[in-house]
């Protein structure tokens, strides 16, 4: 898609707004919005080159689209006019930043160059006009450093190494202590490095600098770490990044200047008080890079009271304007406050929940809008463990509580080791002095992240929070030696593989094997969930087989059991022999006798569930898996048999018989073999027993408690309407035999998990009281994917090569499998308007899929008990989204 001639590729900040984020990127759109809301004096002027220009550049093989350079030149002219300075003016130069900015923020992934426009002449001019030689040279050395790194790929460490060397020679510890001569020498050495590495002189022509910087920002979109970040965060590659060119303001002009980040309220706890970090006499890069440890935002009050007060006011104003918690970047230049960025803050679940509740309390948002600010998928973290309250452990080190939740595992020092360990199923904690973009893969693999440097705005903290991983940052007492692979603290030395535990809610590190405690739901979370229940129209049930799970599900607010898998009841060790006797039976009579023994056990199971669910719906699926799953492994029997033969123990014949039976039951594709309703048709006595047990349990519970259970019997794996008809007759017959439990109270339905069932859903509906979509199997059968094989083997490659953007087992494949769901829901209801519709696959707990099920017209979703709170919130969001689109 080459851009048409005449396309506007550059927008001044005064032309944009927050609705233009697709074209201007998030940063550009919000800088424009801030310019409108706060006024042009608060936001340095500039312009944005569109994402469209970036896409055209990439498609043209890194060629600027036609008209871009002219439009940039015109915009630059307007900027020079507004600033009253000119780029490259040797006596009073205009300096600009060149900032990346994609549609979705990708913290630290894309590149930015500051102080562009300086050269050997204009640095002198800047020194004269500001009467601040140190500042001028500090800015020039920063520019050489960032330009060399960002635009020409010279490793950041090379520059850091030279700075370190210079500080040693000067006998100082902090960058800010370097004097003018040091900075001049440093700049020279940076330029030398540039020459060495590129074979070119450091560019002196500002327009050349600008062209290269724009190109570098475009290129950073396709850089390896940005590509990796997008893959993990499911951001499309073809969005491109915008480029913002903005007049510089200077936080490095001395003690009345600073740079910082500020949140409109605490971004970790959600407490209604701004929070953040800043560094005096510094530019913004220093704050986010984690190289210098920043100061708490509130210390700014005594240093620069006026700017502080203005900032507090602006944070409130922005929050009101955006109706959400804001994450901002600011600079104070000689006492004057400038806002450089704002965006809706990413936040951990506890802060999200706290914000939603407070925002309603403050009248900032209504309930539905407040709930819409919550990332439902993240709520998981609130259901994650912490250190047990009464646990007794020795604190090894303390750091910043950077991302909540607790974790423990073996120490690893690199992302690669973390990934390797995770592949072997080992729990590890990634331990590093600080982290960089290249470490991100390790975040995924690790249970938690621990760093010795950096604050709550450090890379480690941001990325960990984004992923919901526990993180302790800035644990300064730890001496991490990456070469020796050791962690020293408090006189102890830990090695790779040693156990370490972190609590990211408290900022604590220990080497004790501390017990982790399951979380409980906070009052605020309760409030959010209550509101969600008022707003949602989808029901939420849980998948549970045992009374304990049912109790958990109720505690988390499930309104019923959407899937009770009865096979789990046969797996218990004490039941296996009875189950095997049933399977081994030669005749139907023998089998009935064996089933008689299982019946009271099944009945007991159901009684427990019904009692727990107190009259709420309980959907019981009759036996689904193939019978061989209940038999011992053939290899085991073979070796038992060999032993029996040697010892002549007398068990030989029985073992031989078992082996024969195993072989006769074995199937080439058990997944597609004799399972589900096929078993019910082949061996009706099994389903008969189960139905009998269900009815007797129901009667027993009703007699005891006076409350009749709400029963739904579900037949799995139906493809033909006749299959369901046969099973329906079976249920009716057993119900007649079991007096007192009339068919009237009984709902019989089916799991919809085969494509044929979807195509003939109207015919199946004629036999069914309800459908429950088994989207795990439906995904497998519609795609011909076997889940376990696919996820282990080719799914990653499929994601890399963009065949799919995520696992179809995580989020429902809307156009394919989702279409089958819609079709079946629609034609099923056409046949029978009162047909109940639910879903009970893993997708029932996935917020994106839940939004889809809402639109497909289902009555409820059913998911694992721990995901029930997530589903309740997601369902409320889905109801709002559906009502605003219809
Ligand atoms: P990122 O997306 O990595 O945060 P930014 O483009 O926001 O990159 O730039 C990083 C930092 O550089 C900002 O937080 C800010 O402190 C500083 N910065 C960017 N532009 C300017 C500017 N025009 N004047 C002063 N500082 C700036
Ligand atoms: Mg930024
Ligand atoms: Mg199934």
């Amino acid at each position: 898609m080459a851009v048409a001639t005449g396309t506007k590729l550059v927008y001044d900040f005064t032309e944009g707004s927050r609705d233009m984020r697709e074209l201007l990127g998030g940063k550009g759109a919000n800088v424009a919005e801030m310019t409108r809301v706060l006024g042009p004096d608060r936001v340095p002027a500039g312009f944005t080159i569109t994402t469209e220009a970036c896409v055209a550049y990439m498609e043209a093989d890194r060629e600027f689209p036609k008209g871009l350079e002219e439009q940039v030149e015109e915009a630059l002219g307007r900027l020079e006019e507004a600033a009253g300075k000119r780029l490259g003016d040797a006596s009073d130069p205009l300096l600009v930043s060149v900032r990346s900015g994609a549609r979705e923020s990708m913290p630290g992934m894309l590149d930015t160059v500051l102080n562009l426009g300086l050269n050997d002449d204009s640095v002198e001019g800047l020194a004269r006009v500001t009467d601040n030689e140190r500042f001028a040279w500090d800015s020039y050395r920063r520019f050489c450093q960032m330009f060399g790194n960002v635009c020409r790929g010279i490793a950041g460490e090379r520059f850091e190494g030279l700075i370190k060397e210079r500080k040693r020679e000067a006998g100082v510890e902090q960058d800010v202590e370097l004097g003018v001569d040091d900075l001049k020498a440093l700049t020279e050495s940076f330029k030398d490095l540039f020459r060495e590495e590129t074979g070119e002189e450091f560019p002196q022509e500002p327009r050349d600098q600008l062209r290269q910087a724009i190109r570098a920002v475009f290129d950073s979109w396709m850089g390896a770490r940005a590509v990796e970040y997008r893959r993990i965060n499911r951001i499309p590659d073809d969005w491109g990044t915008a480029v913002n060119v903005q007049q510089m303001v200077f936080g490095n002009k001395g003690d009345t200047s600073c740079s910082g980040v500020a949140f409109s309220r605490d971004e970790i706890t959600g407490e209604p008080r701004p929070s953040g970090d800043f560094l005096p006499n510094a530019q913004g890069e220093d704050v986010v890079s984690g190289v210098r440890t920043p100061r708490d935002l509130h210390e700014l009050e005594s240093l620069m009271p006026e700017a502080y007060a203005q900032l507090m006011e602006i944070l409130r104003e922005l929050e009101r304007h955006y109706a959400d918690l804001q994450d901002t970047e600011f600079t104070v230049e000689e006492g004057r406050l400038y806002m450089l960025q704002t965006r809706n803050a990413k936040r951990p679940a506890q802060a999200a929940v706290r914000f939603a509740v407070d925002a309603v309390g403050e009248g900032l948002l209504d309930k539905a809008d407040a709930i819409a600010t919550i990332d439902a998928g993240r709520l998981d973290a609130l259901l994650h463990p912490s250190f047990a309250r009464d646990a007794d452990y020795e604190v090894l080190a303390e750091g910043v509580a950077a991302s909540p939740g607790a974790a423990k595992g073996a120490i690893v020092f690199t992302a690669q080791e973390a990934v390797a360990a995770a592949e072997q199923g080992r729990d590890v904690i990634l331990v590093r002095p600080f982290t960089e973009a290249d470490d991100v893969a390790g975040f995924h693999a690790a249970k938690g992240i621990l760093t010795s440097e950096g604050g709550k705005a450090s890379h480690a903290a941001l990325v960990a929070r984004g992923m919901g991983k526990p993180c302790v940052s800035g644990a300064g007492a730890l001496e991490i030696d990456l070469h020796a692979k050791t962690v020293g603290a408090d006189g102890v030395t830990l090695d790779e593989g040693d156990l370490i535990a972190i609590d990211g809610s408290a900022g604590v590190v220990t080497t004790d094997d501390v017990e982790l405690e399951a979380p409980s739901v906070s009052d605020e979370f309760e409030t959010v969930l209550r509101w969600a229940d008022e707003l949602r129209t989808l029901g939420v049930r849980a998948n549970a087989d045992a009374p304990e799970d049912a109790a958990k599900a109720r505690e988390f607010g499930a309104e019923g059991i959407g899937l009770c898998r009865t096979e789990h009841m046969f797996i218990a060790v004490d039941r296996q022999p009875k189950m095997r006797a049933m399977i081994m039976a030669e005749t139907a009579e023998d089998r009935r006798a064996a089933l008689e023994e299982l019946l009271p056990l099944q009945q007991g199971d159901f009684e427990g569930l019904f009692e727990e669910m107190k009259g709420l719906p309980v959907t019981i699926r009759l036996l689904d898996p193939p019978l061989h799953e209940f038999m011992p492994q053939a290899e085991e029997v073979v070796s038992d048999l060999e032993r029996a033969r040697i010892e002549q123990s007398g068990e030989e014949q029985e073992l031989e018989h078992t082996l024969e039976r195993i072989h006769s039951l074995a199937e080439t594709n058990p997944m597609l073999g004799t399972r589900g309703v096929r078993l019910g048709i082949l061996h009706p006595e099994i389903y008969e027993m189960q139905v009998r047990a269900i009815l007797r349990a129901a009667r027993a519970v009703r007699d005891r408690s006076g409350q009749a259970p709400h029963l739904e019997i579900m037949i799995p794996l139906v493809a033909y309407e006749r299959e369901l008809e046969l099973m329906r007759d079976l249920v009716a017959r057993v119900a007649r035999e079991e007096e007192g439990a009339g068919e009237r109270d009984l709902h019989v339905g089916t799991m919809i998990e085969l494509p044929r069932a979807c195509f003939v859903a109207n015919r199946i509906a004629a036999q069914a009281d309800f459908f429950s979509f088994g989207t795990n199997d439906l995904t497998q059968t519609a795609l011909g994917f076997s889940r376990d094989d696919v996820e282990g083997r080719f799914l990653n490659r499929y994601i890399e090569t963009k065949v799919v953007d995520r696992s179809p087992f995580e989020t429902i494949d809307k156009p394919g499998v989702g279409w089958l769901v819609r079709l079946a829901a629609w034609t099923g209801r056409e046949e029978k308007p009162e047909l109940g519709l639910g879903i009970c696959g893993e997708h029932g707990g996935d917020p994106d899929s839940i939004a889809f099920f809402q639109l497909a017209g289902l009555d409820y979703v059913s998911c694992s008990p721990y995901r029930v709170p997530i589903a309740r919130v997601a369902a409320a969001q889905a109801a709002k989204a559906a009502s605003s689109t219809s």
Side-chain angles (χ1 to χ4, degrees):
M1 175 209 64
V3 290
T5 331
T7 306
K8 189 168 165 59
L9 298 170
V10 177
Y11 289 74
D12 288 353
F13 291 166
T14 47
E15 295 178 294
S17 77
R18 69 167 158 181
D19 305 324
M20 297 169 71
R21 69 182 305 138
E22 290 189 11
L23 191 61
L24 304 181
K27 197 181 291 170
N30 285 325
V31 166
E33 185 80 8
M34 279 203 301
T35 306
R36 290 199 304 120
V37 176
L38 304 176
D41 293 344
R42 223 18 116 198
V43 184
F47 55 87
T48 305
I49 301 170
T50 63
T51 54
E52 243 172 53
C54 176
V55 172
Y57 168 86
M58 293 189 297
E59 284 179 355
D61 226 354
R62 307 182 56 234
E63 205 46 79
F64 281 152
K66 253 220 266 329
L68 178 63
E69 297 203 67
E70 293 78 355
Q71 292 189 37
V72 167
E73 192 53 44
E74 284 163 21
L76 191 59
R78 291 191 296 273
L79 177 58
E80 289 178 329
E81 187 77 21
K85 294 175 203 275
R86 288 199 337 275
L87 194 71
D89 184 339
S91 55
D92 184 11
L94 169 70
L95 302 190
V96 295
S97 61
V98 179
R99 317 173 65 187
S100 58
R103 238 192 258 188
E104 298 272 337
S105 96
M106 297 167 56
M109 292 297 142
L110 304 172
D111 289 324
T112 288
V113 179
L114 303 182
N115 309 309
L116 187 139
L118 279 173
N119 58 27
D120 294 349
D121 293 331
S122 62
V123 68
E124 306 280 4
L126 184 66
R128 266 193 310 277
V129 75
T130 57
D131 194 21
N132 190 338
E133 211 183 359
R134 187 191 182 281
F135 151 71
W137 283 95
D138 184 50
S139 303
Y140 194 24
R141 74 92 189 157
R142 285 170 186 273
F143 174 52
C144 293
Q145 184 175 351
M146 287 182 92
F147 189 91
N149 174 241
V150 168
C151 303
R152 306 306 293 267
I154 304 170
E157 296 131 42
R158 302 289 302 276
F159 295 100
E160 291 298 338
L162 291 171
I163 296 175
K164 243 187 210 143
E165 213 171 281
R166 176 54 44 189
K167 283 194 285 192
R168 202 171 41 236
E169 280 168 25
V172 301
E173 293 208 346
Q174 300 284 336
D175 296 8
V176 280
E177 297 170 279
L178 290 171
V180 176
D181 292 337
D182 295 319
L183 293 169
K184 283 183 178 170
L186 207 48
T187 309
E188 262 335 291
S189 65
F190 285 179
K191 288 197 295 187
D192 291 343
L193 177 63
F194 189 93
R195 191 179 315 107
E196 250 168 62
E197 291 284 311
T198 65
E200 293 168 28
E201 288 301 323
F202 189 83
Q204 292 291 313
E205 170 51 51
R207 277 177 170 67
D208 180 28
Q209 296 171 351
L210 182 59
R211 213 172 301 120
Q212 289 197 40
I214 292 170
R215 188 177 277 281
V217 172
F218 281 166
D219 287 342
S220 70
W221 177 260
M222 289 315 295
R225 56 193 168 127
V227 170
E228 172 70 4
Y229 183 92
R230 287 200 293 276
R231 193 181 64 73
I232 292 169
N233 292 280
R234 296 168 179 158
I235 296 175
D237 283 335
D238 56 10
W239 281 1
T241 177
V243 182
N244 301 287
V245 177
Q246 184 174 31
Q247 182 177 5
M248 282 297 298
V249 290
F250 301 99
N252 57 333
K253 260 192 181 171
D255 294 339
T256 54
S257 302
C258 71
S259 293
V261 298
F263 294 85
S264 58
R265 13 193 126 195
D266 192 295
E267 82 281 19
I268 294 170
T269 64
E271 252 176 274
R273 173 175 190 247
S275 74
D277 292 325
F278 76 101
L279 274 173
N281 196 11
Q283 289 195 339
E285 281 306 299
D286 305 343
V287 186
V288 282
S289 71
V291 174
R292 267 167 75 188
T293 300
R295 298 173 62 172
D296 185 89
L297 179 67
H298 298 287
E299 291 175 34
L300 187 62
E301 185 166 19
S302 57
L303 292 180
M304 302 166 211
E306 204 175 318
Y308 177 82
Q310 286 166 345
L311 178 61
M312 293 301 119
E313 181 50 42
I314 284 173
L315 289 174
R316 259 195 305 277
E317 193 172 342
L318 288 175
E319 198 176 74
R320 252 194 322 269
H321 183 72
Y322 282 94
D324 203 351
L325 205 161
Q326 293 302 294
D327 169 355
T328 72
E329 294 171 5
F330 67 93
T331 280
V332 179
E333 177 178 334
E334 299 186 315
R336 246 192 92 69
L337 173 71
Y338 294 94
M339 298 307 294
L340 293 170
Q341 191 172 331
T342 193
R343 62 185 166 209
N344 294 343
K346 293 192 172 159
R347 67 209 83 163
Q350 64 191 57
V353 164
R354 173 85 193 253
F355 174 76
V357 172
D358 289 349
V360 172
E362 294 164 23
L364 191 64
L365 298 175
D366 69 19
K367 291 175 187 174
D369 286 335
I371 285 182
T373 65
I374 296 174
D375 182 344
R378 290 247 173 90
L379 292 172
D380 221 9
L382 292 182
L383 309 164
H384 274 328
S386 57
F387 283 0
R389 217 159 315 196
D390 52 1
D392 188 19
Y393 56 90
E394 211 163 296
V395 174
L396 177 76
E398 283 182 270
V400 176
S403 178
K408 61 184 175 183
I411 295 174
V412 293
F413 292 103
T414 66
Q416 293 87 321
E417 287 159 7
V419 171
E423 274 166 8
Q424 296 161 9
R426 287 191 294 129
D427 291 350
V428 294
I429 304 289
L430 179 62
V431 181
R432 295 192 62 81
F434 55 90
T435 62
E436 297 173 289
D438 294 340
D439 299 317
V440 169
F443 280 58
H444 269 276
K447 291 283 164 197
I449 292 89
L450 170 62
T451 70
S452 56
E453 293 168 27
K456 46 187 174 177
S458 63
H459 176 265
L462 288 178
V463 176
R465 286 210 293 281
M467 290 181 187
K469 293 272 179 184
C471 174
V472 174
S473 67
L478 301 181
E479 287 193 11
I480 300 169
D481 185 335
L482 294 179
H483 287 291
K485 299 201 165 189
T486 57
V487 187
D490 218 5
V492 228
T493 303
L494 305 172
D495 295 309
E496 187 180 27
D498 287 353
L499 181 97
I500 200 157
I502 61 168
D503 187 334
S505 320
V508 188
V509 184
T510 178
T511 51
D512 291 337
D513 190 0
V514 39
E515 195 189 326
L516 303 185
E517 186 174 74
S520 60
V521 173
S522 70
D523 289 349
E524 281 134 8
F525 195 13
E526 279 298 352
T527 304
V528 163
L529 289 170
R530 209 177 55 241
W531 293 344
D533 292 346
E534 289 168 19
L535 295 163
R536 70 186 159 88
T537 55
L538 265 179
V540 178
R541 298 191 189 178
N543 299 345
D545 317 323
E548 309 83 76
D549 297 340
K552 196 87 239 144
R554 292 276 291 128
E555 192 186 306
F556 284 146
E559 297 160 315
I561 291 180
L563 175 62
C564 162
R565 302 174 169 92
T566 53
E567 54 271 18
H568 288 188
M569 300 169 174
F570 296 118
I571 292 170
V573 186
D574 53 327
R575 299 183 185 183
Q576 279 178 6
K578 293 193 173 66
M579 189 66 183
R580 271 177 213 155
M582 190 274 284
I583 298 171
M584 300 291 291
E586 307 271 346
T587 65
E589 267 106 273
D590 285 356
R591 176 163 295 121
R592 279 214 163 79
L595 284 165
E596 276 305 312
E597 289 198 41
L598 283 166
L599 192 148
L601 301 173
Q602 277 262 277
Q603 183 180 333
D605 296 329
F606 294 133
E607 285 182 27
L609 274 185
F610 296 158
E611 262 162 14
E612 208 52 73
M613 295 312 288
K614 306 207 176 9
L616 292 173
V618 179
T619 311
I620 300 166
R621 180 178 73 188
L622 302 187
L623 193 67
D624 183 26
L627 292 180
H628 81 269
E629 283 202 7
F630 301 96
M631 298 294 281
Q633 295 283 317
E635 300 88 67
E636 278 171 38
V637 181
V638 168
S639 68
D640 287 352
L641 183 57
E642 276 166 10
R643 197 168 341 108
R645 279 181 182 146
I646 293 165
E647 293 167 5
Q648 300 196 324
S649 66
E651 294 164 319
E652 298 91 318
Q653 209 180 353
E654 196 191 324
L655 286 167
E656 272 167 22
H657 189 61
T658 304
L659 196 58
E660 247 168 59
R661 190 72 181 139
I662 292 172
H663 287 313
S664 79
L665 287 172
E667 293 178 315
T668 319
N669 280 315
M671 272 270 314
L672 304 176
T674 314
R675 50 172 289 213
V677 67
R678 303 159 198 172
L679 267 179
I681 289 174
L682 210 56
H683 307 294
E685 56 280 4
I686 300 177
Y687 278 12
E688 277 171 32
M689 180 280 282
Q690 292 196 293
V691 173
R692 219 176 283 287
I694 292 167
L695 293 172
R696 288 183 188 177
R699 190 167 44 200
V701 170
R702 189 190 55 204
D703 291 348
R704 264 203 302 277
S705 67
Q707 189 167 38
H710 179 136
L711 294 184
E712 301 183 338
I713 292 182
M714 180 151 75
I715 311 298
L717 218 72
V718 165
Y720 296 91
E721 57 275 24
R722 177 72 179 145
E723 290 171 322
L724 187 58
E725 190 181 10
L726 289 170
M727 293 302 105
R728 207 189 165 89
D729 291 348
L730 177 151
V731 173
R733 178 162 44 76
V734 176
R736 273 194 306 278
E737 288 165 16
E738 296 294 317
E739 263 168 69
E743 203 193 343
R744 216 163 26 88
D745 310 332
L746 204 68
H747 305 267
V748 180
T750 177
M751 199 118 163
I752 298 284
E753 47 193 339
L754 294 171
R756 187 183 196 278
C758 297
F759 294 125
V760 300
N762 55 331
R763 300 180 188 205
I764 293 178
Q767 303 296 332
D769 299 320
F770 65 89
F771 287 172
S772 177
F773 291 94
T775 53
N776 298 345
D777 265 317
L778 188 57
T779 299
Q780 299 202 89
T781 54
L783 289 166
F785 279 6
S786 107
R787 174 175 188 152
D788 297 337
D789 297 323
V790 170
E791 293 203 322
R793 285 172 211 258
F794 63 83
L795 190 61
N796 280 342
R797 184 59 68 84
Y798 264 41
I799 291 172
E800 269 164 36
T801 52
K802 303 198 177 77
V803 177
V804 295
D805 65 354
R806 62 185 80 180
S807 165
F809 295 102
E810 235 170 74
T811 296
I812 193 158
D813 159 44
K814 290 171 202 166
V817 180
W819 166 246
L820 290 173
V821 171
R822 274 176 178 272
L823 175 69
W826 171 41
T827 56
R829 279 253 167 91
E830 215 164 48
E831 168 71 28
K832 186 180 276 182
E834 71 279 16
L835 184 74
L837 294 174
I839 125 97
C840 62
E842 297 291 310
H843 301 108
D846 169 63
D848 275 359
S849 307
I850 290 171
F852 176 82
F853 297 134
Q854 169 93 33
L855 294 174
L858 304 199
D859 298 315
Y860 69 86
V861 297
S862 186
C863 55
S864 79
Y866 275 93
R867 292 198 76 85
V868 165
I870 296 173
R872 288 161 73 191
V873 171
Q877 294 171 337
K880 176 179 149 75
S883 72
S884 62
T885 53
S886 67

